[in-house]
Amino acid sequence: MQVTPRITTTDLLCLERGPGPCAAILFGASGDLARRKLLPALAALAGERRLLPEHFFLLGYGRTPLTDADFARQVTEACPGAAGQALAGRCFYQTGGYDDAAGHAALAARLAELELRFGTGGNRAFYLALPPELYAPVCERLAAAGLTTATPATGPWRRVVVEKPFGRDLRTADELDQRLARVLRPEQLYRIDHYLGKDTVQNILMLRFANRVFAPIWNRDSIDHVQITVAEEVGVGHRAGYFDATGVLRDMCQNHLLQLLALVAMDAPPRFDAAALEAEKLRLLDTLRPWTPARIAADLVRGQYGAGPAGAGYCTEPGVPADSATETYLAARLFVDDWRWAGVPFYLRTGKRLAKRVTEIALTLKPVPHSIFAPLNPEDLAPNVLVMRVQPDEGIELTIQAKRPGPKLCMSAMNLDVSYREAFKADPPDAYQRLLLDVMLGDQTLFLSGELVRRSWQFWQPVLDAWAAAGADGICPLQPYPAGSWGPPAAARLLADDGRRWRLGA
Ligand code: BG6
């Protein structure tokens, strides 16, 4: 069944504010992230959305020797159409090393010249689309060259965006944080988790806290369990170098999945701002039941794809060592030990080369307390399930029981299904558009604080330690699954042991 929502909007809140004059300096400008995500996002802001300031330029920086014209061509190739043209006219490129003083001095001179020409007032957003080991050296070089020096309140702003992963465990994240803290103030540093920039992820907060209807059921009295699925069809692709040293726990669980969990399970923050959201997320992380060896063995499933209907196995992918023990799949049963959620399992899973690309959060409600429809018992009625579809086919779905045409007691499950595209007659913009705009606007609400990143690592650290100590065959052994399936059979057992099943797939 399709329900067409009556959409009312508060115009004031829907007016998108554009930033003031500024420059964006993109490190790793000829890399994969720039081509696939950052340049198209900037082009969309420059083009149809008209949100880049009139006084703006983009300066690419990288080791690959390119001229301004080469870079402008890369921009139009990455962003075909008028939007790419609109951006390319304001793009420049500076060749230089990442840990080299001469390169940064040349960057400083180029920036000064362009800032004068474009009247950007010295406001700068540096985006480090670089391997994580370069974050600290580059920030230190930028600071030494005076490029990130800012006088709060009066002077131009200087901001630096770093991608994930922020460290590769608790110790390295702490070390990185300390090095960056010596050269940047907290309000200058933007740690990205691009899932937070997705409209459908922000909508978790709107759904929960801008509506009255869900709050009374959002707890252990009504919710039987929660499933969070982030399934990808893609394999490791051409990212073997990065991914094989990382694995899905570090790549997806420490950040994206934990953030989704936090938004679903946390209490209402008093306001929608960075500090209030952070405080609630930190409290939520505090309530997660810690990992013990017994729980790692019982509540975690670690997998790696082998050959299957969707293609070759992980270990035969280009660049992956034949004996790699890196996990490409993880399923976990988590518990939030507080009054709201005591006893409610949260099942999380994510993996590469799964049957279908889908990210969704499903809350299954408990049966009705008593069935008036004898001989049916409460358990005979299919439960209500509220599904937030994050991507693709973004939307919200609620399964209810309904009278079916036919005999008096005939009923069946029916879906109230709202698609974002149909409801709002628009596609949700790519997350990077929102996040780049927020960096230029100086809004950290959708970014992660150092403490949040630290506590996320702290939560997973016992698992990383146990795996490192026991190897792939030890505690929670690596289980194969066919490429194109829904993951290892053990992941289905994780729920079957509790008398439940995954909503999608096995
Ligand atoms: C990135 C991970 O953060 O998120 C990738 O490094 C993953 O491995 C990607 O493929 C998934 O993002 P999205 O937006 O496509 O779901």
Side-chain angles (χ1 to χ4, degrees):
M1 184 184 123
Q2 195 65 39
V3 173
T4 310
R6 187 174 68 90
I7 298 170
T8 54
T9 50
T10 312
D11 287 347
L12 192 63
L13 296 180
C14 289
L15 280 181
E16 188 79 88
R17 196 160 52 96
C22 64
I25 303 98
L26 179 51
F27 279 66
S30 54
D32 182 62
L33 182 69
R35 193 171 50 250
R36 279 188 311 111
K37 294 288 184 185
L38 303 173
L39 294 174
L42 282 171
L45 294 175
E48 66 261 37
R49 298 192 65 192
R50 298 196 181 290
L51 284 168
L52 283 189
E54 191 190 331
H55 297 277
F56 172 89
F57 66 89
L58 170 66
L59 178 58
Y61 183 86
R63 284 181 301 216
T64 314
L66 294 179
T67 62
D68 289 344
D70 293 334
F71 183 50
R73 204 170 318 112
Q74 284 195 359
V75 172
T76 47
E77 276 164 20
C79 331
Q85 297 291 345
L87 181 65
R90 299 194 263 175
C91 285
F92 305 88
Y93 189 86
Q94 180 69 35
T95 308
Y98 294 124
D99 197 4
D100 117 53
H104 282 70
L107 172 65
R110 192 80 200 278
L111 259 180
E113 169 219 323
L114 289 167
E115 284 175 344
L116 214 57
R117 180 163 146 207
F118 282 85
T120 54
N123 296 319
R124 300 170 186 158
F126 293 92
Y127 198 113
L128 310 192
L130 295 174
E133 61 275 14
L134 291 173
Y135 297 161
V138 167
C139 288
E140 287 161 357
R141 286 273 171 223
L142 288 174
L147 291 171
T148 47
T149 312
T151 325
T154 51
W157 54 258
R158 308 278 156 81
R159 297 174 189 142
V160 178
V161 187
V162 294
E163 268 289 336
K164 58 158 267 284
F166 194 88
R168 48 178 290 109
D169 54 18
L170 182 56
R171 184 182 57 77
T172 50
D174 276 349
E175 283 168 7
L176 178 57
D177 219 32
Q178 283 158 17
R179 279 180 76 177
L180 296 188
R182 280 188 217 118
V183 292
L184 296 169
R185 286 191 316 280
E187 69 274 16
Q188 290 185 281
L189 188 56
Y190 286 67
R191 296 175 194 78
I192 273 203
D193 179 323
H194 79 279
Y195 265 56
L196 298 179
K198 293 179 190 278
D199 270 350
T200 43
V201 172
Q202 292 161 55
N203 188 50
I204 300 170
L205 293 180
M206 312 290 170
L207 187 83
R208 293 191 57 197
F209 303 125
N211 296 293
R212 179 106 198 186
V213 63
F214 299 110
I217 61 160
W218 216 269
N219 55 52
R220 66 190 303 274
D221 297 335
S222 300
I223 306 290
D224 176 74
H225 74 280
V226 180
Q227 296 184 14
I228 302 181
T229 297
V230 180
E232 297 190 273
E233 269 176 45
V234 292
V236 65
H238 53 274
R239 296 166 79 216
Y242 158 76
F243 187 83
D244 197 60
T246 308
V248 289
L249 190 155
R250 292 183 169 95
D251 187 45
M252 301 292 289
C253 300
Q254 185 270 346
N255 33 71
H256 307 326
L257 273 95
L258 223 44
Q259 287 300 313
L260 293 178
L261 171 66
L263 294 173
V264 172
M266 71 187 200
D267 284 346
R271 294 170 306 282
F272 182 59
D273 67 25
L277 278 170
E278 187 201 352
E280 287 308 329
K281 287 183 184 175
L282 286 176
R283 196 200 67 83
L284 190 273
L285 288 181
D286 237 15
T287 65
L288 289 183
R289 189 175 298 174
W291 290 108
T292 58
R295 283 204 56 230
I296 295 172
D299 291 352
L300 260 190
V301 176
R302 171 166 55 145
Q304 186 189 75
Y305 63 86
Y314 176 71
C315 287
T316 55
E317 297 269 28
V320 176
D323 59 350
S324 170
T326 299
E327 81 286 358
T328 62
Y329 178 96
L330 199 81
R333 174 171 37 212
L334 303 186
F335 290 95
V336 177
D337 288 333
D338 68 1
W339 277 45
R340 183 193 284 271
W341 295 115
V344 177
F346 285 73
Y347 302 102
L348 274 58
R349 63 174 168 171
T350 183
K352 305 253 177 231
R353 276 274 188 269
L354 294 182
K356 192 174 164 191
R357 174 175 179 250
V358 55
T359 296
E360 66 162 45
I361 299 158
L363 290 83
T364 299
L365 276 75
K366 291 184 170 168
V368 292
H370 163 74
S371 169
I372 64 167
F373 306 106
L376 295 179
N377 294 314
E379 297 73 27
D380 298 330
L381 303 168
N384 300 137
V385 184
L386 175 67
V387 183
M388 292 170 261
R389 293 196 305 262
V390 173
Q391 65 187 23
D393 187 20
E394 293 80 356
I396 296 172
E397 186 179 320
L398 176 63
T399 311
I400 58 167
Q401 283 292 328
K403 173 76 181 77
R404 218 168 80 183
K408 235 188 332 206
L409 279 186
C410 180
M411 65 186 125
S412 67
M414 176 174 101
N415 263 5
L416 307 181
D417 189 332
V418 182
S419 138
Y420 260 67
R421 276 188 186 77
E422 283 173 29
F424 295 103
K425 307 276 177 266
D427 288 335
D430 186 81
Y432 280 93
Q433 292 182 33
R434 171 78 272 145
L435 296 173
L436 287 169
L437 205 51
D438 281 356
V439 172
M440 293 185 267
L441 288 165
D443 182 348
Q444 289 187 318
T445 311
L446 302 180
F447 293 81
L448 304 178
S449 70
E451 188 56 13
L452 207 48
V453 173
R454 170 169 210 287
R455 299 269 281 275
S456 304
W457 280 121
Q458 201 169 37
F459 172 68
W460 289 109
Q461 193 62 45
V463 177
L464 293 172
D465 291 342
W467 286 358
D473 300 325
I475 193 165
C476 171
L478 195 64
Q479 319 240 1
Y481 63 94
S485 70
W486 277 102
R493 282 202 299 276
L494 196 65
L495 274 75
D497 289 350
D498 297 341
R500 303 186 176 100
R501 53 198 301 269
W502 290 108
R503 211 181 80 82
L504 299 170

